[in-house]
Every structure is written in structure tokens, then in C-alpha cells.
Amino acid sequence: MQAAIYVRVSTDDQVRHGFSLAEQKAACRNRAAALGASVITEFADEGISGSTMDRPGLTALRSAVRNNQVDLLVVRDPDRLSRKLSHQLLLTEEFEKAGVKIEFLDFDWKDTPEGRLFYSVRGAIAEYEREKIRDRMVRGKDQKARQGGVPIGFYNYGYNYTPDSGKVTVNDSEAPVVINIFNWFVYEDIGMNGVARRLNEMGIPTRKGKGKWHRNVIRQILRNPVYVGFWRYKEFSIQVPDIVNGETWNKAQEKLKEARRLWAGLSKNEYLLSGLISCSECGNTMTGVYTNWWDKRERRYTCHKNSQGAKSRGCVPAKFLPAEVIENAVWEQVQVWLNDPDTLAKEAVSEEPREEELRQELDRIEEHLKGVEKGRNSILDTLALGLVELDTNTKNKLTDLKRRKERLENRKKELEAVLSEAYRYISGLEELRLISRQILSKLNSLDFSDKKALIRTLVSQVIIAGRGQPGRNGLKDTQVTIVAKLPEQIDSSVFSDIVR
Ligand SMILES: [Zn+2]
């Protein structure tokens, strides 16, 4: 490695600080050697002010740097190069651009006001340079896009992408998943949550390989025109291979729009989930409020309680979540359940009633009861005929039989209650199976109170966890838990109104 050292002393320095040229040289040589220099060339200016750039030693150093004769430059401090900050910056930049590593000796120097200024300005310049490079790269991408090529950063599920060539091809294992997502959403009415759930149940890996499919990812896929062959990059559109046919894609867009329109007509006093929705952090029920959000008036749900009598004032700061996003999530879940009432039943009860077992136990109990009754009657008969005395033994027998009879009758009542619950459950589910299709077909024409009633029929509560900031497309970091309700509690009058 070729090293250079540069030393400078003005007459002033020597007088004021008492350091000599010889001392500077020795210190710089030692450092250069310690850093592994094999050749060390000296450049020196003695008795010349550092405010001028016109110094023989400095000029010689700069020309050596230009001729690639320097890998490492050791200087006591930036002040040796120049008295002026602008010159220091200029020279260090010039040297570094030529590939020279610059080493300053004095650590103390960094703690002086001049030193701090030098380093902070150099830091700012480095940052500025990085910005400029970034800017240039972005403009480079735009340029590529404008010319119809595919710029860097094409990462869409369903495609392979080679960054070096910008080549985009269809990924054979992911593309069928994309087609399924569109078909299920458009032709099966299972909603974005339903699509995500089905993919998770099928064990289809996400792009990242781990983690679950989420409705937001499904939405991004459904909205992305890349799947009909147009990749949107800023204001440009670039052609890529398509995966989904245009008709299906258009239908998906229509459906997405429909979902957005669903609540558009709701007035400021209409909240589909009032009474059902609560905050998991503070435990308060959440109420609907019509409030300013930026420059827009919006329906929201909040856990904040204004009234004096409230047990808890709610979270601090209070949650204010957009009503529409939560209502959409619940509505989608309702659609999923209507599509497959058995999933609702499974979610609502941990255990299905075992009707057959219950019935068998009831039969056994009735049998026992008959036996007990028979025994009791025969004792009473013999007593009545005066054949035996009512002694202690007989008394005890009778009391015992009476107790057994009571126990059995209680158990019988219990079983009958459970059985009638089971019948209601089974007939409720049966009813739901019969009419869910009809409800689904009329879903979009339901008015507010029908929608509200339908939600209350299938949902027992909605719990909001986390306080994610509402984004444009949903709630980041907010979890909406929708708890299913037992179909046995179906109020058939609600459905008869809807189905009619
Ligand atoms: Zn809260």
C-alpha cells in the first residue's frame, strides 16, 4: 500500500502550540506504518498559511493523488489541509473520489468546534449525496417504465420475476391460486374473508411462505390489474402476461364496488353494530358517533364514554374506528355463514348435542322409574291389606324408594330440557340451511333494519382488539372478532320478513 503524509506548520503554530514539523512527520509516519503502508511519501509545507490553496507541498500531493500514487493519506487534522472549511471539504472529497483513504491523527481535534463543524457538514453532504443517488435511481426506473420495459420492483403473487433482465413470467404454482381467488370471490359469494379462510384451510402457502392469508392481501390481489396483463407503475402501464380473463376481473371490480356502496347510504344515526360491539382493552361497549375525521364527517365507533355515570371512561386515548370498515368485515362474515350454515353452527357451539345419547338415557330413566313405582306400589298394597305392620324397616324402604323416584324425575326433567334445546338447535340449523340461499340472493336489497336484524340473528358479539390506525383500505393492527350465535336462537319472524 502506498501512503502519503502531509504536514504543515505556520510560523504562528510553532510559536503558539510548540509543535514542530519533525514531530508531526514522525506521528504521521508511525500511523501510516501501523496501517500497513509499504511506501511512505512525505508532502510538507513549512511556514505557509493554511488559508491559501497555493502551497507547493499540497499541490504536489494533489497531483500524486491524481496519478494514483496514493492509497492512504495520513494528516494530523483537517486543519493541516486548510484553514477554511470549504477547502477542507473540497480536498477531502477530491481525495476520497480518487479512492484515497484519509486518516486524521488527532482525536482531540474532533471535539473542537471546528472539528464538529467539519464532521457534521461532511455528514450532511454524504446524506445529500445518498439522496441524489436515490433520486437518480428512481428516475432511472421511471425511464425504464416509460420505455415499456419492466422496471425493478415487480413483486406480484402469481409471477416470476428476474430483476436483472426485468423478465416477467407466470408462476405455475401460484397462478392457479390467483385464478381460484377470483373465481371464488366472483362466483361463490364467500367474501374476501371467506377466500382467505379457504386458502388457509387448504394450506396454500403465502408468498412469504409463512403466515396466513388475510383479507387485505386478497383485496390487493382482486384489485390489481396486473392479473389481466397491465402492471401499473406510477402513471405508466406496462404489459405483462395475464392470469385472469377480463370478464372475471371486471366482475370482481363490480363486486368490490358493491361492497363499498353497501353502507354509503347509511345516515349519521345508523349503526349496524350498536349494542353488539365492545372494546377488548377497556371492556366498554362501543357506540356509534358521527365525527370529524380530517376534513370528512364520518360514522365511527368509539369506546369513549362521555357521561358522568359511566363506570369507565374508556381507553386513553379513546379508540375511534371507522364504522364502515368494521361493518364490512361483519357483513362479509355473515355472508360466509349464510353460504355454509354448518360453519356457523360449528363456531357457535363447542359441542354438538348428542341427541341419540340423550334419548337413550331418558329411556333408561323411565324404565328405572317404572321399577321404583312398582316396588313402592306393592309395599303400599300389602300395607293396605294389613298383611304387614308399618315397621321401621318398611318405613325406611318406602322413604328410600321415594328419594330414588325424586332423583330420577329431576334427571328426567334435565334431560328433557337439554333435548328440547337440541331440537331447537337442530331445527334452527335446518331452517337456516333451507333459507340461507334465499337470504343470500336478496342480501343487497335489504334495508338498514333488515340488515341489522340479520346481523343480530347470527352474531352474538363483535370484539375489537388493538388500536391500529385506520388506513385507507382497512384497519392495520386491529383485530375484529366476530362471535357466532347459536342457530337455535333464530327468530324466524326476522327471516320470514326477509324471505318473503
Ligand atoms: Zn377501549
Side-chain angles (χ1 to χ4, degrees):
M1 183 171 63
Q2 304 184 82
I5 64 170
Y6 176 75
V7 291
R8 178 181 71 79
V9 275
S10 59
T11 346
D12 226 24
D13 286 329
Q14 267 170 326
V15 175
R16 243 193 305 165
H17 304 291
F19 58 72
S20 69
L21 208 60
E23 278 167 329
Q24 258 190 75
K25 278 184 192 168
C28 290
R29 278 185 164 275
N30 285 344
R31 177 64 61 86
L35 290 170
S38 47
V39 186
I40 301 174
T41 318
E42 278 180 25
F43 299 90
D45 285 309
E46 199 173 355
I48 300 173
S49 162
S51 54
T52 170
M53 291 277 269
D54 186 17
R55 281 168 267 156
L58 180 65
T59 307
L61 169 65
R62 289 169 80 183
S63 105
V65 166
R66 267 197 303 278
N67 294 325
N68 291 322
Q69 288 160 354
V70 182
D71 302 311
L72 169 72
L73 172 66
V74 183
V75 189
R76 185 179 179 274
D77 57 57
D79 201 46
R80 297 303 96 201
L81 291 171
S82 173
R83 279 250 115 111
K84 289 180 179 165
L85 176 66
S86 56
H87 290 171
Q88 290 171 1
L89 297 167
L90 201 86
L91 288 169
T92 50
E93 198 196 353
E94 180 180 310
F95 294 154
E96 279 172 350
K97 274 201 173 142
V100 177
K101 187 185 177 298
I102 304 173
E103 175 83 4
F104 295 117
L105 282 190
D106 254 358
F107 296 112
D108 294 347
W109 193 84
K110 286 184 185 173
D111 294 328
T112 65
E114 293 88 353
R116 278 198 292 272
L117 181 62
F118 173 76
Y119 280 105
S120 69
V121 172
R122 274 189 48 107
I125 289 174
E127 178 58 29
Y128 169 73
E129 290 289 332
R130 275 197 294 276
E131 282 296 325
K132 263 197 346 207
I133 289 167
R134 211 173 295 145
D135 186 51
R136 225 171 285 141
M137 278 171 64
V138 170
R139 273 187 282 132
K141 275 201 244 177
D142 287 1
Q143 190 73 28
K144 252 175 140 180
R146 210 172 270 128
Q147 286 159 1
V150 172
I152 37 180
F154 181 95
Y155 296 107
N156 289 294
Y157 185 85
Y159 291 97
N160 300 319
Y161 169 63
T162 322
D164 294 341
S165 61
K167 200 173 166 196
V168 171
T169 54
V170 170
N171 180 309
D172 291 336
S173 59
E174 290 176 355
V177 179
V178 173
I179 294 170
N180 277 337
I181 289 173
F182 273 88
N183 284 342
W184 295 339
F185 180 73
V186 170
Y187 303 109
E188 286 194 41
D189 266 327
I190 59 174
M192 288 178 273
N193 275 328
V195 172
R197 185 191 307 218
R198 192 179 284 183
L199 290 170
N200 289 329
E201 278 167 4
M202 289 167 73
I204 307 279
T206 59
R207 163 72 29 120
K208 284 171 193 147
K210 53 190 174 200
K212 294 198 156 188
W213 291 90
H214 191 267
R215 73 192 294 274
N216 281 345
V217 179
I218 304 299
R219 190 208 312 271
Q220 276 163 22
I221 288 176
L222 289 169
R223 288 174 68 162
N224 197 341
V226 76
Y227 299 112
V228 276
F230 296 100
W231 188 55
R232 231 182 260 146
Y233 176 79
K234 294 188 177 171
E235 71 267 37
F236 319 116
S237 187
I238 294 153
Q239 214 150 359
V240 293
D242 62 346
I243 291 179
V244 175
N245 68 56
E247 193 194 329
T248 306
W249 193 84
N250 286 337
K251 275 186 181 157
Q253 305 318 303
E254 266 308 304
K255 277 217 136 144
L256 287 166
K257 231 189 272 167
E258 241 168 54
R260 284 198 294 275
R261 261 202 305 267
L262 209 51
W263 314 122
L266 288 193
S267 85
K268 59 183 184 176
N269 296 320
E270 291 178 314
Y271 295 89
L272 281 160
L273 306 175
S274 46
L276 286 181
I277 183 168
S278 61
C279 166
S280 84
E281 267 82 30
C282 65
N284 274 350
T285 54
M286 297 182 83
T287 40
V289 280
Y290 194 61
T291 180
N292 272 330
W293 200 258
W294 298 98
D295 51 350
K296 210 172 121 200
R297 298 280 281 170
E298 215 174 61
R299 293 186 314 118
R300 293 195 163 243
Y301 287 104
T302 183
C303 59
H304 176 69
K305 294 276 179 267
N306 246 337
S307 62
Q308 281 301 316
K311 261 192 212 146
S312 154
R313 318 279 325 248
C315 291
V316 180
K319 285 185 194 178
F320 281 92
L321 302 177
E324 196 178 305
V325 180
I326 301 171
E327 286 167 358
N328 262 335
V330 173
W331 193 244
E332 264 193 13
Q333 185 59 59
V334 164
Q335 277 174 274
V336 168
W337 285 334
L338 287 173
N339 261 292
D340 188 359
D342 291 279
T343 59
L344 169 70
K346 258 183 233 143
E347 280 174 47
V349 283
S350 51
E351 222 182 332
E352 270 177 70
R354 301 138 304 169
E355 191 205 354
E356 192 54 34
E357 268 172 59
L358 292 171
R359 172 98 356 254
Q360 279 170 8
E361 193 186 344
L362 196 62
D363 287 346
R364 275 200 305 275
I365 282 173
E366 269 163 3
E367 208 54 39
H368 281 306
L369 264 174
K370 263 186 221 153
V372 169
E373 195 64 14
K374 220 168 145 190
R376 213 169 147 255
N377 283 341
S378 73
I379 292 175
L380 289 173
D381 284 348
T382 39
L383 275 174
L385 289 169
L387 294 174
V388 288
E389 297 260 321
L390 186 59
D391 58 5
T392 324
N393 189 29
T394 317
K395 251 191 206 164
N396 283 348
K397 244 188 202 162
L398 275 173
T399 319
D400 190 44
L401 284 170
K402 196 181 162 218
R403 285 209 190 108
R404 270 187 77 190
K405 190 184 164 198
E406 276 167 8
R407 270 205 307 276
L408 286 167
E409 270 169 348
N410 282 340
R411 180 67 187 144
K412 187 181 162 189
K413 261 184 219 146
E414 261 173 42
L415 279 174
E416 277 166 350
V418 176
L419 258 173
S420 83
E421 286 275 287
Y423 288 138
R424 261 196 292 155
Y425 165 89
I426 289 158
S427 66
L429 184 56
E430 204 48 52
E431 189 183 0
L432 189 61
R433 276 204 200 96
L434 284 172
I435 59 181
S436 62
R437 282 276 139 203
Q438 273 173 281
I439 299 172
L440 267 177
S441 68
K442 298 192 179 169
L443 218 50
N444 288 333
S445 56
L446 298 185
D447 64 12
F448 175 73
S449 64
D450 278 346
K451 278 174 185 159
K452 208 168 161 182
L454 180 58
I455 287 173
R456 270 156 189 69
T457 308
L458 303 178
V459 176
S460 73
Q461 53 174 329
V462 177
I463 304 160
I464 306 293
R467 52 162 46 259
Q469 280 313 298
R472 203 158 45 91
N473 292 328
L475 297 168
K476 251 172 54 196
D477 306 322
T478 295
Q479 237 190 329
V480 182
T481 308
I482 303 156
V483 184
K485 201 165 171 176
L486 268 171
E488 61 152 314
Q489 288 155 5
I490 285 176
D491 175 0
S492 54
S493 66
V494 172
F495 288 102
S496 60
D497 279 355
I498 294 171
V499 173
R500 212 181 326 107

